[in-house]
Amino acid sequence: MDTSRLLRSPGPGALASYAGAAVLALVATTGGAGLATEVADASSHREAPLISGDPKVDNTDVYAFVSPDKQDTVTLVANWLPFQEPNGGPNFYFFETNANHDINIDNDGDAVADVTYRWVFETIDNRDGTTFLYNNGVVNNLDDPTLLFRQTYTLTEIRGTDSRVLVEDAPVAPSNVGPASMPNYARLRDQAVVPVRGGGQSYAGQAEDPFFLDLRVFDLIYGANLSERGQDTLAGYNVQTVALQVPKSDLALNGDDERNPVVGIWSATSKQGMQMTAPKGNDRQAQVSRLGNPLVNELVPAANQKDGFNASTPADDAKNQALVDRILKPELPQVIQQIYNIPAPATPRNDLVEVFLTGIAKNAPTLDGSTPPIQADLNSQILNADVDPREFVPAEELRLNMSVPVTANPNRLGVLAGDLQGFPNGRRLADDVLDIELQVFEGAAQTGQLVPALAAGDKVNTNNVPFGRTFPYVALPSNVAVNQIDVDGMPSGGVPGGAGGTAPRPVGWIRLAGGLGAALFLGAGIFLTRRRYRADPPGPSASTN
């Protein structure tokens, strides 16, 4: 990135003074509460009325991060078909064949996809009306004849009117039927990782759902008294996952990830025959699901706007006044004020415009022409040297600055805790996006203070199983029933260990000295300007482990 486009650093002494004063002031407000750090191991599940009725094309989450073990690449992950009970046979789970599964890249900030990666799936069903079984014997390899139901896919890269096939007829990792049928699922997973034409690798198949949270947030925000927290609602459930690892230059504007390191990302699903807004009788391929930043369609649009959001594109967002109004004056802080008497931040919320619509930059184009309230240069395409600011269009996208080094010791709260590689700068598997967004909606990105009453969030701070250290990083799918019964005949609430590796463990959580993480976030604008990110060699740790 061209350093002339960044705010000049005040120097190490000023940085230390600023950070030290902020830390002392904020620790004082909490009586000296300690700061414990921990690596943390989540987003549109049934978020809109129509898509909840067609879960195979329900795009639940999208992730984008610099690959921790191959730092000249970016890994993109997207999930579909939520709440897969592992024992849901005999048909189990598979990708929709009558649909396009897309991950889109906007590298010049005009809210239009410059690169699209498209997965299209085909089914091979060898049961021939003679059996109900998914497999009729042990499956040790993806090409074993005992695997009666299988899928393949073609992955295509689209740039404008040009396209090229990156992967053709690649195998999909099957549903994890159980330890008797698939005694070594990790081997099947490895066989489903295939090279990508031009460099990189691809995976499609089942995975343990990487989104971790307590969904009782929707029961009047944790039971109206914070009593309903600490239960990972999605523990042990699986999803259908695609993962793609490609060189950074493949995503960057003009192929130059040094001058133009920031990209916007969103996934989308289009399907024949299911219409969100098109007239009845129109059988064209229609977009039915869309996802950029996590939890946006859950928490921002009103219920009657959610289907329309799923059918829209980022280019529509700035013209969608109903959406804009609910970002500038969001509902969630009002609900929290009503339940917990925590005053909602003043409106209009231009800080949320930066986080969700423009990316964070000192000169990000606010909708009303005012100065962006978050004065830091982090992840807006406006920072790319070759972007024409006159062509920039505010749009809801997950934005990633590919030049930020991999964090040696990742923090689950990402940028709010001074970990600049974390959400909202892209999204790693281990980022605790529910807790982050709860604080962002309460104004932490703008004020520099976490809300102490909500600092513990949902008390689900890690995934129930560890993520992998190498591509595709997502955990192996569970093969153990989610609903276990204890000796008294009652649900145990836990997922025991099994071949899928879904054993429960105590939920750890970070105790933040109220507002310390948010203060470091505001200090990030100073830190970001001290040097070009790419000048220093990145740390040795993984961002998702």
Side-chain angles (χ1 to χ4, degrees):
M1 181 185 294
D2 183 355
T3 54
S4 67
R5 298 174 65 84
L6 297 174
L7 176 67
R8 294 291 180 185
S9 169
L15 175 63
S17 175
Y18 175 91
V23 168
L24 289 174
L26 292 168
V27 170
T29 66
T30 61
L35 174 64
T37 59
E38 174 179 316
V39 177
D41 285 346
S43 101
S44 287
H45 300 60
R46 297 176 51 82
E47 83 286 356
L50 284 178
I51 199 64
S52 64
D54 196 355
K56 281 198 294 183
V57 289
D58 185 357
N59 187 188
T60 66
D61 287 278
V62 63
Y63 303 82
F65 51 90
V66 174
S67 309
D69 55 329
K70 294 185 177 179
Q71 296 177 20
D72 59 342
T73 69
V74 165
T75 295
L76 308 169
V77 177
N79 299 325
W80 282 266
L81 213 174
F83 294 108
Q84 295 181 18
E85 159 58 50
N87 295 160
N91 295 307
F92 294 99
Y93 308 97
F94 51 93
F95 287 99
E96 174 63 68
T97 56
N98 188 30
N100 295 331
H101 303 71
D102 295 347
I103 296 180
N104 300 287
I105 308 297
D106 171 19
N107 55 33
D108 59 7
D110 65 355
V112 176
D114 300 293
V115 185
T116 297
Y117 295 103
R118 174 166 294 167
W119 288 259
V120 176
F121 295 89
E122 293 187 6
T123 294
I124 303 170
D125 190 343
N126 291 322
R127 290 174 291 192
D128 295 330
T130 61
T131 180
F132 62 84
L133 293 171
Y134 187 84
N135 58 292
N136 62 1
V138 175
V139 179
N140 292 311
N141 300 285
L142 293 181
D143 58 0
D144 283 354
T146 51
L147 182 60
L148 301 179
F149 183 96
R150 65 188 74 211
Q151 288 192 300
T152 62
Y153 69 94
T154 296
L155 171 60
T156 304
E157 177 190 75
I158 303 168
R159 296 177 181 265
T161 58
D162 298 327
S163 65
R164 63 169 180 156
V165 174
L166 301 181
V167 175
E168 190 168 14
D169 295 329
V172 173
S175 290
N176 190 353
V177 174
S181 293
M182 299 174 182
N184 188 353
Y185 192 89
R187 179 176 179 176
L188 302 178
R189 155 77 65 82
D190 291 344
Q191 291 176 2
V193 175
V194 297
V196 170
R197 190 166 297 150
Q201 47 191 336
S202 173
Y203 169 78
Q206 197 178 45
E208 202 271 343
D209 193 337
F211 190 17
F212 53 94
L213 84 169
D214 194 326
L215 274 173
R216 292 178 295 179
V217 66
F218 295 114
D219 183 15
L220 295 181
I221 316 297
Y222 308 126
N225 60 3
L226 299 180
S227 63
E228 298 179 355
R229 297 185 295 172
Q231 172 182 293
D232 184 355
T233 307
L234 300 178
Y237 287 105
N238 298 324
V239 289
Q240 297 300 104
T241 293
V242 301
L244 177 64
Q245 188 175 84
V246 293
K248 293 177 180 179
S249 58
D250 284 6
L251 306 181
L253 176 62
N254 298 329
D256 190 337
D257 57 284
E258 293 192 4
R259 286 177 55 82
N260 306 300
V262 180
V263 295
I265 302 111
W266 73 97
S267 54
T269 318
S270 56
K271 182 183 178 183
Q272 191 88 6
M274 179 179 178
Q275 303 300 318
M276 308 297 275
T277 58
K280 292 182 179 180
N282 185 345
D283 62 354
R284 64 179 175 82
Q285 195 93 350
Q287 181 178 299
V288 297
S289 185
R290 167 192 166 191
L291 183 61
N293 287 288
L295 296 168
V296 166
N297 204 9
E298 280 89 348
L299 300 178
V300 177
N304 65 352
Q305 300 165 359
K306 293 178 181 295
D307 292 330
F309 181 84
N310 268 340
S312 69
T313 69
D316 301 321
D317 294 341
K319 297 175 289 187
N320 183 348
Q321 194 59 47
L323 177 68
V324 169
D325 288 345
R326 290 183 64 85
I327 292 175
L328 292 172
K329 188 177 181 180
E331 179 181 4
L332 178 60
Q334 302 295 328
V335 174
I336 291 174
Q337 176 175 301
Q338 179 181 357
I339 295 173
Y340 291 110
N341 295 318
I342 299 172
T347 58
R349 295 293 303 277
N350 280 328
D351 57 323
L352 298 185
V353 171
E354 270 194 271
V355 172
F356 295 126
L357 294 184
T358 65
I360 297 168
K362 290 170 53 198
N363 62 338
T366 55
L367 299 178
D368 59 6
S370 62
T371 300
I374 306 173
Q375 281 292 290
D377 285 328
L378 180 63
N379 68 340
S380 174
Q381 293 103 318
I382 205 76
L383 299 170
N384 288 340
D386 296 335
V387 161
D388 183 350
R390 297 169 299 181
E391 300 297 322
F392 188 90
V393 177
E396 198 283 297
E397 301 173 355
L398 178 67
R399 290 174 169 87
L400 171 67
N401 187 331
M402 300 183 290
S403 68
V404 177
V406 170
T407 304
N409 296 295
N411 190 299
R412 69 180 181 92
L413 294 181
V415 174
L416 283 181
D419 179 359
L420 303 180
Q421 201 213 1
F423 182 77
N425 183 27
R427 182 185 178 190
R428 302 168 299 194
L429 296 174
D431 287 337
D432 194 347
V433 295
L434 179 62
D435 283 6
I436 294 170
E437 288 201 2
L438 185 64
Q439 291 291 338
V440 168
F441 272 96
E442 286 301 291
Q446 183 170 220
T447 66
Q449 295 186 6
L450 298 183
V451 177
L454 302 175
D458 65 353
K459 293 190 176 181
V460 179
N461 300 336
T462 63
N463 196 39
N464 59 299
V465 288
F467 298 118
R469 295 186 177 276
T470 58
F471 184 84
Y473 306 106
V474 288
L476 295 176
S478 172
N479 59 19
V480 180
V482 172
N483 298 316
Q484 297 293 315
I485 304 299
D486 63 19
V487 293
D488 298 317
M490 299 297 291
S492 68
V495 181
T502 54
R505 60 181 179 178
V507 176
W509 57 288
I510 297 175
R511 296 177 57 211
L512 282 171
L516 171 59
L520 289 175
F521 171 75
L522 294 184
I526 299 174
F527 172 80
L528 282 168
T529 66
R530 296 182 64 188
R531 50 174 167 74
R532 292 177 66 183
Y533 279 117
R534 300 180 63 90
D536 290 347
S541 179
S543 65
T544 57
N545 296 279

